C-alpha cells in the first residue's frame, strides 16, 4: 500500500527513466545459515508531453494573393499544423493542394513549429475566413487562429444600399487573434420620419451598432461636402432625392453605407399655374405612380 510513486503536478524535468527495485531476504528455510538477498527490478521510461504555449498567425496580401504564416511555440513533441477555410454559411473545409513550407526549431527541450502557405482567393470571394489549426495529438490539444479577409468592395462599399426593410449589414472583424469569433455586430440605419418623405420635409438619419465593441465612430457626408461626425445627421427641407453616406468605424473594422432618401411628393413649383390650359403630368419614379395637376 505504500510502494506507489505519485508525481503531481508533472514537470518537464520529471522526464526520465524510473526504476522500482524490490529486495527480499531468503534463507531457504534454514535459520542457521546467512540470508541471501534476492532483488527484482522494473524499469519505466516516463515521457512528458507539453501542449503548445502560444500560437500566432501573420499575413501579407497583394491583391487576391495571400501569404500566411502560423507559428506554434513551446510544444513537445512538435505540433502539427493544417489550414482550413470557412464558407459564409459556416461550412469548414481543409484547404487542399497548398504550396507550403514547414520549419521545426528546438527551443531548449521544447519545439517551435512554423508553417507558411501561399493561397489565392477566388475572384468571387467577398469574405474569406482562413484558420490555422494547431493540433497536438499527444496532449489532445487543438488551437484555432482565425483571420478574415474582406474584399475592398465590401470595406469601401459605396454602392451598398440600405433600405428600411433590407437585411442589416454585418460588421466584420479583420483579424481574430484569440481563437474565438465574437458575434458580429449590426450597423443599423433609421430615418425620422422615414426614407421616403414629402417635398420640403426635414429628415433626421440615425446610425447605431448595438452590441459592437468598441463603440464605432460615425462620419456623415453628401457629395463633396465636409463630413459631419456623430450618430445623427439632420437634413433641413429636403427638396430632391439624395444619397447620404455614413462611415462606421472602430479598431476591428469599418463599413461605408449609402443611405438614399427619396421625395414622394413632387415640387408644386414645377406645375403650370391654373391660368393656362392643359395638363402637366409629373412622374414620381419612387412610387411608380403618376401625379398630375391642371
Amino acid at each position: 500500500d505504500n510502494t506507489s510513486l505519485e508525481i503531481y503536478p508533472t514537470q518537464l524535468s520529471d522526464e526520465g527513466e524510473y526504476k522500482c527495485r524490490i529486495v527480499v531476504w531468503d534463507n531457504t528455510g534454514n535459520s542457521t545459515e546467512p540470508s541471501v538477498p534476492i532483488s527484482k527490478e522494473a524499469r519505466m521510461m516516463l515521457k512528458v508531453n507539453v501542449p503548445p504555449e502560444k500560437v500566432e498567425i501573420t499575413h501579407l496580401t497583394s491583391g487576391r494573393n495571400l501569404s500566411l504564416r502560423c507559428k506554434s511555440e513551446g510544444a513537445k513533441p512538435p505540433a502539427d499544423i493544417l489550414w482550413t477555410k470557412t464558407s459564409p454559411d459556416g461550412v469548414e473545409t481543409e484547404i487542399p493542394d497548398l504550396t507550403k513550407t514547414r520549419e521545426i526549431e528546438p527551443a531548449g527541450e521544447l519545439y517551435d513549429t512554423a508553417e507558411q502557405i501561399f493561397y489565392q482567393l477566388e475572384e468571387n470571394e467577398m469574405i474569406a475566413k482562413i484558420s490555422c489549426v494547431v493540433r497536438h495529438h499527444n496532449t489532445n490539444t487543438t488551437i484555432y487562429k482565425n483571420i478574415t479577409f474582406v474584399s475592398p468592395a465590401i470595406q469601401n462599399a459605396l454602392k451598398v444600399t440600405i433600405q428600411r426593410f433590407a437585411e442589416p449589414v454585418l460588421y466584420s472583424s479583420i483579424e481574430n487573434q484569440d481563437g474565438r469569433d465574437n458575434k458580429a455586430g449590426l450597423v443599423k440605419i433609421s430615418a425620422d420620419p422615414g426614407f421616403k418623405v414629402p417635398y420640403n420635409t426635414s429628415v433626421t438619419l440615425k446610425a447605431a451598432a448595438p452590441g459592437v465593441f468598441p463603440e464605432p465612430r460615425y462620419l456623415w457626408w453628401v457629395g463633396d461636402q465636409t463630413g459631419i461626425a456623430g450618430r445623427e445627421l439632420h437634413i433641413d427641407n429636403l427638396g430632391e432625392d439624395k444619397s447620404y453616406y455614413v462611415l462606421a468605424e472602430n479598431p476591428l473594422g469599418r463599413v461605408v453605407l449609402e443611405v438614399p432618401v427619396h421625395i414622394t411628393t413632387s415640387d408644386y413649383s414645377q406645375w403650370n399655374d391654373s391660368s393656362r390650359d392643359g395638363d402637366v403630368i409629373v412622374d414620381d419614379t419612387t412610387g411608380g405612380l403618376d401625379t398630375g395637376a391642371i
Side-chain angles (χ1 to χ4, degrees):
D1 293 335
N2 61 353
T3 58
S4 297
L5 172 66
E6 181 178 1
I7 304 172
Y8 181 83
T10 308
Q11 304 294 325
L12 190 59
S13 58
D14 295 324
E15 182 170 285
E17 184 183 69
Y18 288 78
K19 179 172 62 177
C20 172
R21 185 184 183 199
I22 298 175
V23 179
V24 296
W25 295 84
D26 184 13
N27 60 6
T28 66
N30 189 349
S31 60
T32 61
E33 295 183 5
S35 297
V36 178
I38 301 176
S39 65
K40 296 283 187 179
E41 289 186 355
R43 297 171 182 263
M44 184 194 74
M45 175 61 69
L46 175 64
K47 293 185 176 181
V48 179
N49 299 314
V50 182
E53 178 184 10
K54 183 180 180 181
V55 176
E56 289 184 337
I57 185 171
T58 56
H59 72 281
L60 294 173
T61 61
S62 176
R64 293 185 294 110
N65 299 311
L66 309 179
S67 174
L68 305 173
R69 188 174 189 268
C70 185
K71 184 177 182 181
S72 164
E73 299 181 2
K76 181 177 177 294
D80 292 327
I81 295 177
L82 62 89
W83 299 84
T84 64
K85 185 172 70 172
T86 303
S87 64
D89 56 358
V91 178
E92 182 183 18
T93 56
E94 185 174 353
I95 303 178
D97 304 326
L98 280 176
T99 302
K100 56 186 177 181
T101 58
R102 174 175 293 190
E103 301 174 355
I104 299 178
E105 298 180 355
E109 297 181 86
L110 306 178
Y111 296 90
D112 296 343
T113 304
E115 188 167 281
Q116 185 168 0
I117 66 169
F118 301 93
Y119 181 71
Q120 187 176 58
L121 296 173
E122 299 177 7
E123 292 186 4
N124 60 348
E125 283 188 288
M126 305 301 287
I127 297 179
K129 174 185 171 184
I130 297 179
S131 302
C132 165
V133 185
V134 176
R135 290 180 175 171
H136 196 250
H137 301 284
N138 297 69
T139 57
N140 196 27
T141 301
T142 301
I143 301 175
Y144 278 79
K145 285 295 177 181
N146 309 315
I147 184 168
T148 301
F149 295 93
V150 183
S151 167
I154 293 182
Q155 290 190 37
N156 307 294
L158 294 179
K159 297 302 181 183
V160 174
T161 300
I162 300 299
Q163 298 176 354
R164 192 165 194 169
F165 299 107
E167 290 294 325
V169 175
L170 288 178
Y171 212 89
S172 58
S173 63
I174 301 302
E175 187 168 339
N176 169 28
Q177 281 284 43
D178 62 3
R180 298 185 301 274
D181 283 330
N182 297 324
K183 184 178 179 181
L186 301 177
V187 179
K188 297 181 179 179
I189 306 296
S190 61
D192 183 18
F195 293 98
K196 293 184 178 182
V197 296
Y199 174 78
N200 208 30
T201 300
S202 296
V203 180
T204 300
L205 301 178
K206 300 178 182 179
V212 173
F213 181 83
E215 173 72 18
R217 67 181 185 92
Y218 302 94
L219 183 69
W220 296 86
W221 74 93
V222 58
D224 297 329
Q225 295 181 9
T226 304
I228 299 175
R231 287 176 172 269
E232 299 183 1
L233 175 68
H234 186 71
I235 307 166
D236 291 320
N237 305 324
L238 185 68
E240 59 180 348
D241 293 349
K242 278 190 178 181
S243 287
Y244 298 83
Y245 298 93
V246 59
L247 165 72
E249 183 178 38
N250 74 359
L252 297 179
R254 62 174 179 155
V255 62
V256 178
L257 308 178
E258 179 186 7
V259 185
V261 183
H262 297 288
I263 300 295
T264 58
T265 305
S266 299
D267 182 358
Y268 288 94
S269 66
Q270 300 175 12
W271 297 349
N272 292 2
D273 62 45
S274 59
S275 63
R276 300 178 59 184
D277 295 334
D279 296 340
V280 174
I281 303 297
V282 181
D283 292 332
D284 180 0
T285 58
T286 62
L289 300 177
D290 290 335
T291 60
I294 297 176

